[in-house]
Amino acid sequence: MKKIIILSLSIFAIAGQVMAQNLKASQVPAQVKEALAKKYPATKKVSWEKEKGNYEANWGGRSGEDNSVQFTPTGTFIEIVKAIPVTDLPKSIAPYIKAHYNGAKIKEAGKVTDATGKTMYEAEIKGADLIFDQNGNFIKKD
């Protein structure tokens, strides 16, 4: 019985580190908040998460997550994801999902721009993000 409890606690501890954690602004390093204010000075009502060791700021729109930007703990910009209508995804994405994911419904879509200016797209299905290049070619499941 002790082994089962210890194993369960270990699994929850590992899962907690992998999944996003909601944070209060006071838990976010000053250099991260400063980097956000410098890069996106008009941001208001920001919510914070910690995901895979990085900090994510979300703001805008009805859901408060029309913009999602990630920074390293030292404040280095990683990427921004802007929510877009599913119909704005490149046309090759829907047929790919239909063929490879049993026609799963795309719940949300986003246009991703990384620190180098490279554009990608993400389509959320069944709780996972599928990442596509700027032409709609599949890259990876995140």
Side-chain angles (χ1 to χ4, degrees):
M1 184 67 159
K2 276 186 177 179
K3 289 180 183 179
I4 293 173
I5 293 171
I6 291 171
L7 179 61
S8 296
L9 291 174
S10 298
I11 291 170
F12 285 123
I14 292 168
Q17 291 177 7
V18 174
M19 295 171 52
Q21 299 171 304
N22 291 329
L23 300 174
K24 294 178 183 177
S26 62
Q27 296 173 293
V28 178
Q31 59 266 36
V32 173
K33 291 187 278 191
E34 289 166 9
L36 175 68
K38 184 176 180 182
K39 190 156 183 73
Y40 302 100
T43 58
K44 294 181 182 175
K45 296 183 181 178
V46 176
S47 63
W48 290 96
E49 295 177 14
K50 189 168 185 182
E51 187 173 336
K52 298 179 185 174
N54 294 312
Y55 293 87
E56 183 177 299
N58 299 290
W59 74 94
R62 285 187 163 176
S63 70
E65 295 187 358
D66 278 1
N67 299 286
S68 176
V69 65
Q70 283 193 10
F71 293 94
T72 66
T74 60
T76 302
F77 173 75
I78 298 171
E79 68 181 17
I80 184 167
V81 180
K82 291 186 172 273
I84 61 171
V86 172
T87 55
D88 286 356
L89 288 170
K91 300 301 178 211
S92 60
I93 293 177
Y96 178 89
I97 291 172
K98 184 176 184 180
H100 294 89
Y101 292 91
N102 266 348
K105 182 175 171 40
I106 301 171
K107 294 180 182 179
E108 293 181 356
K111 183 176 182 180
V112 181
T113 306
D114 71 12
T116 66
K118 181 178 173 184
T119 299
M120 295 171 280
Y121 292 91
E122 73 180 26
E124 181 186 326
I125 63 161
K126 299 179 181 179
D129 290 328
L130 303 180
I131 310 298
F132 298 85
D133 69 14
Q134 65 185 7
N135 298 317
N137 299 308
F138 178 74
I139 298 173
K140 66 179 180 175
K141 183 177 180 180
D142 217 7

